[in-house]
Amino acid sequence: MKTKHIFLAELAVVLTSSCAVIRPGEVGIKQKLGQLSDEVNTEGTVYFNPLTSRVIKESTQTKNIKLFLSLPSKEGLSVNSEISILYRLDGNKVASVLKNLGQDYESVITSVFRSAASDVCAKFFAKDMHSGMRAVIEDEILNKMRTNLEKQADGIELIAVLMKQIQLPPGLASSIERKLQAEQDAMRMEFVLKQETLEAQRKIINAKGERDAQLIIAEGLTNGIIRIKAIEAFRELSKSNNAKVIITDGKTPLMVNDNQTVTPASNK
């Protein structure tokens, strides 16, 4: 009989008390008879009465919502894109999120994103979503989402909106590719023309240098220098062992042909 009473007492304790383990990156909120507590439980063990209460655990780590949407553009085109919405819950405000949005708060985030994305993307051309303007579009969507979410609940921290794998309409994509190709061809031609211009300038500078050098030499060739050069040539010829005949009047410069026959230059 005593054993039976002990068993009943232990069963009563088990039925009237239980525990939940809160792991790192989580918080726990007690819900008693449908009412959420404002107390936030962090890592550790939380005891509760399973007959009247339960513990709702929510992650405070960064989460990623992936969407595949067709976004409108300013010119009325549809641009397909993969979207990532990065967010996390503020651990101290999880109760506010659950009270206002419930545990299905991700569907609210998705709805807010769809509305914000449609409003923002409609102000930009389709090509902007595939260019450096993408970051601007992402920031505007993020700011609009924050404004709309703050009206509904406090405790969801939006980190980033990322537009990935942008797929432009086929006709527009081909047009952009042709434009980019034309720009590359123009840049290539500009480079070639610049190189040709530099080469032409180099040749002009070389020609001017040669001309100036010849002018300097011509100005320095006086009759006296010419006679000195002629005498030096005679001396070099006299050192040669080959037989030679030199006929000159001693006044005019000498001309030496390929056969080393020295003849006086005509002086008309």
Side-chain angles (χ1 to χ4, degrees):
M1 189 70 177
K2 185 177 180 181
T3 304
K4 183 177 180 181
H5 285 302
I6 295 175
F7 173 76
L8 292 175
E10 292 177 350
L11 179 62
V13 172
V14 171
L15 292 176
T16 56
S17 67
S18 186
C19 67
V21 177
I22 309 301
R23 295 177 175 83
E26 290 182 336
V27 294
I29 305 292
K30 281 187 180 181
Q31 185 180 32
K32 185 176 182 179
L33 298 176
Q35 184 176 3
L36 287 170
S37 172
D38 292 329
E39 182 183 357
V40 177
N41 299 280
T42 55
E43 300 176 25
T45 303
V46 180
Y47 293 95
F48 63 96
N49 186 343
L51 298 178
T52 60
S53 307
R54 67 173 181 145
V55 175
I56 300 175
K57 294 188 290 185
E58 292 291 341
S59 172
T60 56
Q61 296 177 336
T62 300
K63 294 182 180 179
N64 180 16
I65 300 177
K66 290 185 178 181
L67 300 173
F68 295 89
L69 297 178
S70 179
L71 303 173
S73 66
K74 188 174 183 179
E75 62 266 58
L77 299 175
S78 295
V79 179
N80 296 324
S81 175
E82 177 187 343
I83 308 296
S84 285
I85 305 171
L86 303 181
Y87 79 96
R88 72 179 186 88
L89 297 180
D90 185 342
N92 296 322
K93 300 178 180 178
V94 170
S96 172
V97 175
L98 295 178
K99 287 178 181 178
N100 291 282
L101 304 180
Q103 288 185 271
D104 191 23
Y105 49 83
E106 282 197 353
S107 64
V108 178
I109 297 176
T110 300
S111 298
V112 170
F113 169 79
R114 291 178 185 274
S115 175
S118 296
D119 292 343
V120 172
C121 291
K123 299 188 300 182
F124 293 87
F125 293 105
K127 63 181 180 63
D128 295 334
M129 303 180 196
H130 203 270
S131 65
M133 292 295 291
R134 183 190 304 182
V136 176
I137 298 173
E138 292 172 345
D139 288 342
E140 288 199 20
I141 294 175
L142 185 64
N143 292 332
K144 195 171 185 65
M145 286 182 66
R146 285 172 177 163
T147 301
N148 293 338
L149 274 177
E150 287 174 357
K151 298 176 182 178
Q152 303 179 54
D154 184 21
I156 298 177
E157 181 184 348
L158 295 174
I159 299 173
V161 171
L162 306 175
M163 301 174 64
K164 303 180 292 184
Q165 297 183 2
I166 303 295
Q167 295 181 356
L168 299 176
L172 179 60
S174 299
S175 177
I176 293 176
E177 288 179 0
R178 289 195 298 270
K179 180 182 178 182
L180 292 176
Q181 185 62 45
E183 291 176 352
Q184 291 178 356
D185 292 341
M187 292 176 62
R188 188 181 300 108
M189 182 57 66
E190 182 180 354
F191 174 78
V192 172
L193 291 176
K194 186 176 181 179
Q195 291 296 106
E196 292 293 337
T197 301
L198 292 176
E199 181 64 17
Q201 292 176 353
R202 185 189 67 79
K203 291 181 178 180
I204 292 173
I205 292 172
N206 287 343
K208 287 182 178 180
E210 292 179 0
R211 182 197 62 187
D212 293 343
Q214 292 175 358
L215 290 175
I216 292 172
I217 293 173
E219 290 175 356
L221 289 178
T222 61
N223 291 333
I225 291 177
I226 293 174
R227 292 182 61 83
I228 291 172
K229 293 295 182 181
I231 293 171
E232 291 176 352
F234 276 130
R235 288 177 178 174
E236 292 297 325
L237 288 173
S238 64
K239 295 177 182 179
S240 174
N241 295 325
N242 297 327
K244 59 188 72 67
V245 177
I246 300 175
I247 303 173
T248 177
D249 59 0
K251 296 180 180 180
T252 59
L254 301 180
M255 302 295 293
V256 182
N257 57 24
D258 293 338
N259 295 324
Q260 293 188 351
T261 301
V262 182
T263 56
S266 60
N267 186 14
K268 297 180 180 181

